[in-house]
Amino acid sequence: MEGYMDDKPIIQCKNINLSFKEKQVLDNINITISKGEVFGLLGPSGAGKTSLLKVLTGQLLPSQGEAKIEECLSTAFNFDIYNELGIDLEDCGLFQRLSCYSNLKIIAMIHDIKLKQIDYWLERVGLADARNVSANKLSKGMSQRLSFVRSIIHNPHILFLDEPTSALDPVSTKKSTISF
């Protein structure tokens, strides 16, 4: 696909280091990702993949180095940048007492999305029957699908996924596959 990827980096990490007390979690990470590129982080549990995603999305401050998305430092993100991102981390942060519908309604209101989109996405990932079920009553796989929808409902330009299929059985994974 010639001309599909842009040479201008959309994500950059320069000399990222991160430590928690005496434990070095990230050591001199350098990454450049261009527009249109799909990039995966692979490694064993505890290797720092989630920590790097949290640095990239501005949730953790690096001990050293800098991370940028669309030329903006991750330490200085504003709403415009977060509006461009879809973030689905392993610790999904769903509103546990709220229904599936209400969890998505909050995100839809933040991003000025028509509420009719909520039912479309619930149907698309097999959660239509759980529309009024509170998040704390969902299985791990159902929670993961709800969290995934929450990360894409606003049609982000950049999507960060952390263990997106870890709690999904093969049938659910195939059934809820979303094509962009």
Side-chain angles (χ1 to χ4, degrees), residues 75-104:
T75 56
F77 283 169
N78 58 28
F79 183 77
D80 291 335
I81 290 292
Y82 280 117
N83 209 28
E84 302 291 319
L85 303 180
I87 304 170
D88 185 9
L89 298 180
E90 192 172 13
D91 178 15
C92 61
L94 294 172
F95 301 107
Q96 294 298 315
R97 293 171 142 190
L98 299 182
S99 69
C100 293
Y101 181 87
S102 294
N103 264 277
L104 296 178

Side-chain angles (χ1 to χ4, degrees), residues 40-61:
L41 292 172
L42 301 175
S45 182
K49 301 177 298 293
T50 299
S51 295
L52 180 58
L53 289 178
K54 287 183 176 183
V55 168
L56 282 169
T57 57
Q59 297 175 64
L60 282 176
L61 297 175

